[in-house]
Amino acid sequence: MLGYIIRRIIVMIPVLFALTIFTFFLVRLVPGNPASVMLGPRATPEAIASIEESLGLDKPLLVQYGYFMRDLLQGDLGDSIRKKQPVTTVIGDRIGPTLFLVFYSMILAVLITVPMATVAALNKERWPDQIVRIFTLGALAMPAYWVGMMLLQLLAVKYKIFPVAGYGDGFFGHLYYLFLPAISLALAIAALTIRSLRSSILETLGSDYVRTARAKGLSGRSVFSWHVMRNSSLSSITLLGLIFVFVIGGTTIMETIFSIPGIGQLIVRGIFDRDYPVIQGVTLVIGVIVLLTSLVVDILYAALDPRVKLS
Amino acid sequence: MAFDAPIKTRVQLKDSELAARQWDEWRATRRQLMKLGAMGGAGIAALNLLPATGGSTRALAQDAEPKMGGTVSMSMADSDATSFDPPVPVDNMSIWTMLLFYDQLVRVNADGTAIEPGLAESWSGNEDATEYTFNLRDATFHDGSPVTASDVAFSILRAKNQEGGAWNFILSAIDTIEAPDDKTAVIKLSKPWAPLEADLAMFSASIIPQSLVEEQGDDFFQHPIGSGAFKFVSWEKDQEIVLEKNPDWWDTGKPYLDGVTFKVLPDSNARMLQFQGAELDIATSVPFNQLQSLQSNPDVKVVLDPVARIDYITLNTLVAPLDDVRVRQAINYAVDKQAIIDNVLFGYGEIANTFLPKMVGHDDSLPPYPYDVEKAKELLVGTAAENGFELELITQAGDAVDTQVCQLVAAALAEIGGNITISQVDGATLLDAVFSPDPNFEMAKVYYTTDILDPDELATFGVVSDGGALAIGSSYKNETVDQMVLDSQSVLDPEERQSMYNEIQRLVQEDAHFLYLFYPSGRTAVQAPIQDFHILPTGNYRLYEVWRDDV
Amino acid sequence: MSGSVAAASELGAIPAPPKSKRTWISRRWLNPVLVAGLVILGVMLIFVIVGPLVSPYNPTDPAFDQPTFAGPSWSHPLGTDNFGRDTATRLAYGGRTDFVIAIAGTAVTVVIGLLVGLIAGFYGGKTDALLMRVVDFTLALPYLVLVIGIIAVLGTTPTRVPGLGPLPVNVIFAIWMIGWVTYARLVRGEVLIAKNMEYVDAARVCGASTTRLILRHITPNVMAIVIIFAMADIVLNILLLSSLSFLGLGQQPPYPEWGLMVSEARDFFLRDWRMMTYPGIAVLITGAAFGLIGDGLTQALRPKG
């Protein structure tokens, strides 16, 4: 097991390395440069040159990359050009709200998924199943930000049940403030997980060992709750892992609409400001999270399913 | 044109009248200064009383006695501030916030019409206006240390010599600053410099404590210390900036408020929703389309102020067919600016007639390009654009108003054969395309505001060919204009200077390096208890004069 | 992309469709889910194709002779926008952009993904390892950020396409550059399963060449799964385009596109929030139609049992 984890982590290194190279050069391909953003329309070429020099942007790209890697190996992601703070600090300040939002929406999604998928599976091809199907197709096809705006109009502006924007204070404050963005994302996530869980429940119900369990005299309910759910959740866990990866890089618009100070806004602002260290830092952090998540998912999978052996 | 709807605001003057008034007062001050200069610097106090008390155009609310206490929350509508190092930032959020906790030698008065004393109690110039003596008042920085003349010399020279600074030129006429004693600063100029006082009121000339800055370096500006009305408390990046009252401020009795929290709310819906939910006391940059309904809401007040801002489309004079002045003029005739003001600004703006916003130096009598499609078509005859033309119009992504403006401009130019493609680009791409030494664009929707009460800043950027901004992207070059702006800098007679400026504006308008659009109104919504909130023409706000009547 | 995940995991359970009798197929193809999806999609297609032909209004030019912010009426069934333009007309024109971008984007990614997946799965070894690292790498980058980066490099200038008007073609390129990844992974997985199936072995024993094997035996099986997944992907590409338009990097005004219309209406959210509903519902209906088709195809291609 440990050997497996170590091997997986070693495989990550070239991928992350490629990621740093790619991001590094992509951001520099984009027209515009941080010095002119800092100095605005009235900047003189000399002023821009002098800022570029102070940021080290006048050096050959490979040299710049070398410096970046040297600092990176010491755990230093450089300083944000715009915010004049270490990128690690900037990301540290912002990753909390994003992670909170992502986990919150995934938990809400699970709470929606389990009952709906179960009802759908147990009533296969009957009307409850069709209703769930329509729900999932609709939820999948709606832009999450549009759902967010609609809920905002209804629940925050019209009925004033929820706050209109912000992150709130303390754990319960976050729960309250982030409910609307989280439920908007959760609907989109649930659209995927319900379908996946439904089909795995159906598959498990049809499998030999459930029949065996029934034959052994276990009641329908206990067979369902333990055997079926345990086995059906496997594919959903994989899926949740993949969704996590997707959502963490895709909260930008939601963060904009609800004024949440997360990394989604940070990276888009970073791109618009040509804040190279921030872009590099955030993509690297997201990359690490993504790769670690897929590792965790595989380990969980093995832990839950005795048939799977990690090798 | 004035505002269409009857507007519930205490600003009674139309923009044009206010601008005229500003100019008159500016002239009066200047004339006084000339006279005093001739008299050898006597009677300084009389001079400085004039702008401070002279003809306030803005009556205070119900003439009520301001109450002390309470705090307000106010939006930062553009983005978070970027830096509080005085000569560094180019964004208005940093600039306007800095002006609340740093002081300058002089400041813009409450009406935005004249310069009044700041850290300097009084000042005088020598006969040929090359040497000014400033007498500092007893003021202290927020850490209790006194503001001295050497801090003044340090701060201003630091700003002037800032490496790569965007604002150095503002202070470029300053040669040396001497501090004969703790309370006297003598500024020597390399040449007579008409805009000096206006320049010294600028944020980049903020006075900062020399010893602390030298000791802490860049860290100082993460938790800056000034001598201003408010003390800096905290700055949570992209969330909020908190300031608290400076009880020891030299302007005794102010500020009235105990503190201010600035919330970073660039999204206009989020901003207005928070305002509706009373989580925000002062909402800035109210979307034009919501002003009318807010004005009919008795619980809130809409404050409309004339701000010195012009919105325009810069035309790259190097590319065909825009290299032909007739085509550029035709474009100006072809666009119905009133329709833009009515339908995008919902009436809250005025047609732009010159490159200067409504401010000191603006020539109000110059008629704008009228909307005249036939005239435009006539002008195109014999040009490269006679049989139609194709141009790309770039604008900043995410700005709803600009996008709408561009659509109306494109539709209008289609009437004279223009095939205009609109491209939204992000801010950095726009900067790179328009303001780089090698501009790569055809038309771009941009705007500018002024930071000082003198037309020199905007003339330098807006029309002077080597003024550092390539005449704001257009690569405009008119040697007569260049020379006139340069000459006007040392012309101390206000009337002569105004007539030079009138001529500059006329020549520039004729050359049509911009498609002149509009001067938008400053739009702020405040909750009912908030009193005396106003935006100055320079865009900033004197929060130390704001108070709540519910404390 | 998350949709791809769902589709993939659902599809993982589907074995290759067996060769079947003709009568069975026709019954399969007529399942109600598929028919419902096709009907709804047909209605939407008619709306976007015929709508612009019959509408008396111009979708782009400001029409200040018409009322602005108007509610539904006989002359404007869905009302007008801030420039007096007819909302229904703009929805119909805008839908063309969404359909073209989503379908053109998806079609090419299918082909690229299919090729890469087939090559990786069939040849295995170093080729496979290399291609899969590229896939891992692409998946590790935040999707939206990657697209924004690519668009920022390519620019947002719309390209005039004959017959369709200006289109944000660079969005299609961005989709092409990234979208194939999921297909490649999906196809490779299927090929690995199919390779070991008896009928492929049988074909090999009979002396079929590699190319022939791929084309005749593996591709058809894999194609079924790819097509089903492509239905979900089309929806996701519409959502991607609308997200980009929301950020100002998709379709450029004054040309309508559903996401852009949502974003434009957002400026008037507090004045008239209904403006936002119509384009959102258009996306919803179209997405649901493709979803139903995907479901229907799954049923049609899945063996009874």
Side-chain angles (χ1 to χ4, degrees), chain B residues 346-403:
Chain B
F346 292 81
Y348 298 95
E350 278 187 78
I351 294 179
N353 61 335
T354 89
F355 73 93
L356 283 180
K358 292 281 184 158
M359 60 180 287
V360 174
H362 177 261
D363 180 5
D364 219 36
S365 60
L366 188 70
Y369 280 98
Y371 173 49
D372 187 343
V373 178
E374 288 316 307
K375 172 89 178 168
K377 284 178 181 162
E378 270 169 44
L379 278 166
L380 288 184
V381 173
T383 70
E386 187 175 356
N387 300 313
F389 52 97
E390 284 199 17
L391 291 170
E392 186 183 27
L393 170 56
I394 58 174
T395 177
Q396 178 151 358
D399 187 317
V401 168
D402 279 2
T403 311

Side-chain angles (χ1 to χ4, degrees), chain C residues 26 65 83 104 135 153 160 173 283 297 300:
Chain C
S26 58
D65 52 337
F83 286 164
V135 170
V153 174
R160 280 170 206 275
F173 292 145
V283 175
L297 285 175

